[in-house]
Amino acid sequence: MRKLFKKNATKNYVEIPYAERIKIIEESSIQVSRGVFFSTVIIITSFLPVFLLSGQEGKLFHPLAFTKTFILIVDAVLVITLAPVLISFFMKGRFKPESHHFVNRWLERIYAPIIQWCIKWRKTTLFVNIIALLISIPLLFSMGREFMPPLDEGSILFMPVTLPDVSNSEIKRILQVQDKIITTVPEVKNVLGKAGRVNSATDNSPINMIETIILLKPQKEWRKGITKNDIINELNSKLQIPGVTNGWTQPIINRINMLSTGIRTDVGVKIYGQNLDTIYALSEKIKQSLKGINGIEDLYVEPITGGHYIDINIKRNEINQYGLSIDDVNDVIETALGGKTITTTIEGRERFTVNARFAQDFRSSLFELQNLQVQTPESGSIPLKAVADIQIAEGPPMINSENALLRGTVLFNVRNRDLSGTVKSAMEHLNKLLKHLPKGYFIEWSGQYENLIRSEKTLKWILPIVVFIIFIAMYFAFHSLREAFLSLISLPFALIGGAFIIYIWNVHLSVAVAVGFIALFGIAVETGIVMVIYLNDAMLQLVKAKGNSAATITQTDLKMYVIEGATKRLRPKIMTVSVSLFALIPILWSNGVGSDVMKPIVLPMVGGVFTSAIHILLVTPLIFLMSKEYELKKYGRIQIFESTH
């Protein structure tokens, strides 16, 4: 028969029968497994808002939520099935009391006087916690807000825009000049510029928009003390070319913005209406209103007018005199300017059309176009100007429409300020202008701000539901509304450390920070449940020793047993907190691609785990004691949660 040995006060070991050892393991597993199981369920539930995120933020955080959820589901099953079996195999031999462990003795020596002081000065303890909570809440609301923390992609995308009527030769010259200037910055490794667009429906860039990808050297090769923003500012100051509006972003986020919102900058003000000239006038007024606002950079109005076109109006009376038809004249114009398909060549399995048009010298100016020769049946060759009026006319370089309405856009990036604060300042400046918009015209804020509003709406309606589900799960864990509420109140106090560390680190509130707080809530509830389990166990021991009556239980007895329950298994409680901290703290000093998003997730968890642990270790026993004193005084007995499955 397997034996378990336990050391007694006289240092002699007494054998414990195998059946009794299994019974002890069974009772211990029942005591903690229910709480651990439901705490795991609560952590899974707390990640429900992450699953409901959509768009860019959903694609980024769904893998994290799915991975953690699947791991925790398996963990919840193993806690109540495999763990007790493994304990029965490995938990045998000569065990010493927990008080003999030097770490536990050291922790109890520090913790016991502190918890006694907190219980003695309970009003002061509660007051300090409430004040810290009241400070942290407005601290959170005072922080800047953004959709997602800016991810450093390791490269820069320079997107200058010239006038709409720029020629191919001029845009090529500007592109070459800019590339030469960019290479003068020591941190730049390679430069690749592109003007115009490829033959693709997903790239609607006009010829006047340049895209230049700037690859940087490894950061260790940069000048001492210089940052990426410093490089951008230096490049921007060197690239001030008349007639060119600079824009700075990054390659990946630029494509994401263009595909998701149709805006190639951080924020765009879309102006909708029926007339292009009116839309352009309103766009210019909005641009003037936004100038000088702190945080707004690269302000630019998408040109609605300014494109130059060749207008050729055929004179119907004149073509009759020469025996020509409209099709005859159009055929000459098509061949001269656009080119006309004359044949098709076959090369293997591929077919290519062969086009012919007049040489550049015959169509390079308005004078040359006017003198293009048109063959007539009776009068020989005549100049095109004899049968058509040819002139240069202005028109829209590109017509944008959305939701069956014409659209103009004012674009800008946000730097050195939070996104939400910048847009709010912009809205305040535009309030007077918006009151006098013509009938049928309206504006809409787009870009990253559009994503910010959408994600905030999702989180606002789902978070209360999640808190309610967590409360219900804790009720099933304890079968007591009071105990469930006692564990739930640790959640707001977890905000304290998260709010303070975010403020100290100067991080804006974003979806990444929200995901960090969501993960923090699960950890805080889990630690609180473990504490309440051992406090309830202490009450069971008290009832067994003195009965459950106000006549036999004194306030001194309650204090003594609550302190004993709080200090009991102190080492596992500290280990639960320490494992989280030791796993997360190294991320705070990480660098490289991806760290910009990871730090906002980790920061609230690090600060929140620390303050929630302090609250659970010091305040939870105090509130538990006060609730038991209230029960004893009102009902003449205390309510005890029985650990049953």
Side-chain angles (χ1 to χ4, degrees):
M1 182 180 289
R2 300 174 180 178
K3 306 290 182 180
L4 177 69
F5 297 92
K6 186 176 179 181
K7 192 173 183 180
N8 60 16
T10 60
K11 297 185 179 181
N12 293 322
Y13 294 94
V14 179
E15 296 181 1
I16 298 179
Y18 173 75
E20 187 175 346
R21 181 172 70 88
I22 295 300
K23 185 179 179 182
I24 294 172
I25 293 173
E26 181 183 347
E27 292 175 351
S28 301
S29 298
I30 289 174
Q31 182 185 13
V32 298
S33 63
R34 186 183 187 90
V36 174
F37 174 80
F38 276 100
S39 64
T40 306
V41 172
I42 288 168
I43 295 176
I44 295 173
T45 305
S46 68
F47 262 77
L48 183 60
V50 182
F51 288 108
L52 295 178
L53 293 175
S54 60
Q56 179 185 342
E57 66 276 19
K59 290 181 175 63
L60 183 63
F61 292 114
H62 282 171
L64 169 66
F66 275 112
T67 302
K68 187 165 185 176
T69 298
F70 289 143
I71 291 173
L72 289 173
I73 289 173
V74 175
D75 175 64
V77 175
L78 294 179
V79 162
I80 58 177
T81 57
L82 183 61
V85 176
L86 294 178
I87 290 172
S88 68
F89 282 125
F90 296 105
M91 295 290 287
K92 51 188 174 181
R94 301 185 178 187
F95 293 102
K96 296 180 180 179
E98 194 173 18
S99 58
H100 284 209
H101 197 285
F102 74 96
V103 173
N104 205 76
R105 289 202 308 271
W106 180 73
L107 290 173
E108 287 184 5
R109 192 175 298 131
I110 296 174
Y111 177 66
I114 296 175
I115 187 63
Q116 289 173 2
W117 186 92
C118 290
I119 290 176
K120 180 179 180 182
W121 301 95
R122 59 182 66 183
K123 291 183 180 180
T124 303
T125 302
L126 294 175
F127 178 77
V128 170
N129 274 266
I130 293 172
I131 290 297
L133 179 61
L134 293 178
I135 293 174
S136 65
I137 292 175
L139 199 66
L140 275 176
F141 286 104
S142 68
M143 295 177 187
R145 289 157 47 222
E146 60 188 3
F147 171 56
M148 290 289 290
L151 175 64
D152 183 7
E153 300 174 17
S155 57
I156 302 171
L157 181 62
F158 177 44
M159 296 184 67
V161 182
T162 63
L163 298 176
D165 57 350
V166 66
S167 65
N168 289 350
S169 58
E170 180 63 14
I171 198 72
K172 180 181 178 181
R173 186 191 69 82
I174 292 173
L175 179 59
Q176 292 173 340
V177 170
Q178 289 176 342
D179 287 354
K180 289 179 180 178
I181 295 174
I182 291 170
T183 54
T184 61
V185 175
E187 287 72 23
V188 174
K189 182 180 180 181
N190 292 315
V191 180
L192 176 63
K194 173 186 77 71
R197 65 177 180 180
V198 298
N199 189 20
S200 168
T202 61
D203 187 1
N204 61 348
S205 305
I207 188 67
N208 65 315
M209 190 177 79
I210 298 173
E211 294 183 6
T212 301
I213 297 177
I214 304 171
L215 300 180
L216 302 176
K217 295 178 181 178
Q219 196 164 359
K220 61 182 179 181
E221 299 180 21
W222 293 5
R223 286 168 286 174
K224 187 177 181 181
I226 198 169
T227 64
K228 191 174 180 180
N229 282 334
D230 296 331
I231 296 172
I232 292 175
N233 292 332
E234 182 178 346
L235 288 169
N236 192 56
S237 62
K238 289 184 175 182
L239 293 167
Q240 295 300 317
I241 300 174
V244 179
T245 303
N246 292 344
W248 300 92
T249 180
Q250 298 182 100
I252 298 175
I253 190 63
N254 173 67
R255 291 301 174 194
I256 292 173
N257 288 341
M258 292 183 71
L259 291 172
S260 61
T261 65
I263 300 299
R264 63 176 179 267
T265 54
D266 294 338
V267 184
V269 185
K270 296 179 179 178
I271 303 96
Y272 296 93
Q274 302 293 339
N275 183 273
L276 288 175
D277 292 332
T278 305
I279 291 175
Y280 186 70
L282 291 172
S283 300
E284 286 294 336
K285 289 181 180 179
I286 291 174
K287 178 184 176 181
Q288 295 302 320
S289 299
L290 298 180
K291 273 186 177 179
I293 296 177
N294 181 30
I296 292 182
E297 302 287 346
D298 311 328
L299 188 61
Y300 172 71
V301 175
E302 278 192 338
I304 295 178
T305 60
H308 289 141
Y309 297 88
I310 300 173
D311 259 4
I312 302 177
N313 295 314
I314 299 174
K315 303 174 183 177
R316 295 178 180 270
N317 294 331
E318 279 75 359
I319 62 175
N320 290 331
Q321 296 176 7
Y322 292 105
L324 297 173
S325 66
I326 293 177
D327 288 339
D328 294 332
V329 180
N330 283 338
D331 190 59
V332 173
I333 296 170
E334 178 188 1
T335 305
L337 299 182
K340 186 173 183 180
T341 301
I342 57 175
T343 186
T344 301
T345 178
I346 301 174
E347 298 181 12
R349 299 184 62 188
E350 297 179 337
R351 294 171 178 258
F352 301 95
T353 57
V354 179
N355 294 346
R357 66 174 174 173
F358 284 16
Q360 184 72 28
D361 293 340
F362 295 94
R363 51 185 174 84
S364 59
S365 67
L366 196 62
F367 175 79
E368 298 293 343
L369 291 176
Q370 289 173 341
N371 289 283
L372 284 175
Q373 297 300 301
V374 180
Q375 294 294 329
T376 64
E378 300 175 356
S379 304
S381 297
I382 61 171
L384 181 61
K385 63 182 179 182
V387 292
D389 290 326
I390 306 171
Q391 59 185 0
I392 302 296
E394 282 198 0
M398 183 184 295
I399 298 177
N400 291 318
S401 63
E402 191 173 328
N403 297 326
L405 292 171
L406 296 175
R407 189 203 76 193
T409 313
V410 181
L411 306 171
F412 63 87
N413 287 316
V414 177
R415 288 201 292 271
N416 303 319
R417 191 181 178 187
D418 68 291
L419 178 69
S420 178
T422 304
V423 174
K424 282 185 177 179
S425 298
M427 287 179 174
E428 292 173 0
H429 279 73
L430 293 180
N431 279 340
K432 293 182 180 179
L433 177 63
L434 299 181
K435 293 178 181 178
H436 301 91
L437 285 178
K439 185 178 180 181
Y441 292 79
F442 62 95
I443 73 167
E444 182 181 90
W445 292 87
S446 187
Q448 293 291 316
Y449 184 74
E450 181 182 346
N451 294 329
L452 171 65
I453 298 302
R454 186 193 65 248
S455 60
E456 285 185 346
K457 284 182 178 178
T458 302
L459 292 173
K460 282 179 181 177
W461 71 263
I462 192 60
L463 281 176
I465 298 175
V466 170
V467 172
F468 177 75
I469 294 173
I470 289 174
F471 180 78
I472 296 299
M474 286 192 291
Y475 171 76
F476 283 111
F478 297 117
H479 293 296
S480 169
L481 291 175
R482 186 179 288 109
E483 304 295 348
F485 178 76
L486 183 64
S487 297
L488 191 64
I489 60 174
S490 62
L491 290 182
F493 289 95
L495 289 172
I496 298 174
F500 275 96
I501 196 170
I502 290 172
Y503 182 81
I504 294 170
W505 228 269
N506 195 26
V507 172
H508 298 314
L509 297 178
S510 63
V511 177
V513 174
V515 171
F517 274 112
I518 288 169
L520 167 64
F521 291 163
I523 297 173
V525 170
E526 180 184 24
T527 311
I529 287 177
V530 174
M531 172 61 82
V532 173
I533 286 173
Y534 285 114
L535 290 174
N536 269 293
D537 183 66
M539 294 298 100
L540 280 171
Q541 302 302 322
L542 173 61
V543 170
K544 288 179 181 178
K546 294 202 168 185
N548 193 358
S549 171
T552 57
I553 299 177
T554 64
Q555 288 194 356
T556 304
D557 295 330
L558 280 175
K559 291 179 183 177
M560 183 177 67
Y561 276 86
V562 166
I563 293 173
E564 181 182 346
T567 54
K568 184 179 180 182
R569 307 295 294 162
L570 180 61
R571 185 159 51 99
K573 299 170 190 174
I574 299 296
M575 284 173 61
T576 304
V577 176
S578 300
V579 166
S580 300
L581 288 177
F582 293 157
L584 298 173
I585 287 177
I587 300 178
L588 300 182
W589 282 270
S590 62
N591 51 43
V593 178
S595 60
D596 309 76
V597 177
M598 289 304 301
K599 287 179 183 178
I601 298 176
V602 169
L603 279 170
M605 295 176 67
V606 171
V609 165
F610 185 75
T611 53
S612 68
I614 294 175
H615 172 81
I616 289 166
L617 291 173
L618 301 180
V619 182
T620 299
L622 172 58
I623 298 176
F624 185 87
L625 172 63
M626 294 171 65
S627 69
K628 295 306 173 186
E629 289 176 345
Y630 172 79
E631 291 172 6
L632 193 65
K633 182 178 180 180
K634 185 173 182 179
Y635 304 110
R637 60 191 303 274
I638 58 176
Q639 297 179 3
I640 301 174
F641 157 64
E642 297 283 350
S643 298
T644 57
H645 281 259

